[in-house]
């Protein structure tokens, strides 16, 4: 998604599905936004996985998805 300039903004366990071959698929692209190489300032996403930079007046970019990936990884490892 990032290679296409798309920010996902809602990465969490409930938005992941596993197909019949065991491949993980992303679902629910309702909060996704095409930003290219720019930044966005809209406040959205799941409250427990919002990074501090979402409140930055300068805006945020793909770092939001990486922060959410870290939280998802922690949740999957710790239960």
């Amino acid at each position: 998604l990032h290679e296409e300039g798309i920010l996902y903004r809602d990465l969490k366990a409930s938005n992941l599905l596993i197909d019949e071959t065991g491949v993980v698929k992303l679902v629910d692209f309702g909060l996704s936004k095409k930003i290219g190489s720019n930044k966005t300032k809209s406040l959205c996403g799941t409250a427990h996985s919002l990074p501090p930079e979402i409140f930055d007046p300068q805006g945020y970019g793909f770092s939001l998805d990486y922060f959410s990936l870290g939280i998802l990884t922690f949740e999957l490892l710790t239960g």
Side-chain angles (χ1 to χ4, degrees), residues 17-39:
L17 296 177
I18 301 175
D19 70 7
E20 63 277 352
T21 61
V23 177
V24 176
K25 304 284 185 171
L26 281 175
V27 296
D28 189 9
F29 289 86
L31 294 179
S32 297
K33 185 175 186 179
K34 185 154 180 85
I35 63 169
S37 60
N38 300 319
K39 292 186 175 187

Side-chain angles (χ1 to χ4, degrees), residues 13 17 26-27 29 34 44 50 59 62 64 66-67 70-71 75:
L17 296 177
L26 281 175
V27 296
F29 289 86
K34 185 154 180 85
C44 64
L50 292 178
F62 298 115
L64 178 91
Y66 294 119
F67 188 89
I71 290 174
E75 288 176 349

Side-chain angles (χ1 to χ4, degrees), residues 1-66:
L1 290 171
H2 290 180
E3 288 178 4
E4 298 296 324
I6 299 171
L7 183 61
Y8 186 68
R9 299 198 291 192
D10 200 22
L11 186 60
K12 57 186 176 184
S14 61
N15 286 343
L16 299 176
L17 296 177
I18 301 175
D19 70 7
E20 63 277 352
T21 61
V23 177
V24 176
K25 304 284 185 171
L26 281 175
V27 296
D28 189 9
F29 289 86
L31 294 179
S32 297
K33 185 175 186 179
K34 185 154 180 85
I35 63 169
S37 60
N38 300 319
K39 292 186 175 187
T40 186
K41 296 180 181 181
S42 52
L43 179 60
C44 64
T46 303
H48 77 276
S49 64
L50 292 178
E53 60 263 21
I54 200 167
F55 303 105
D56 184 357
Q58 302 285 326
Y60 58 90
F62 298 115
S63 61
L64 178 91
D65 285 343
Y66 294 119

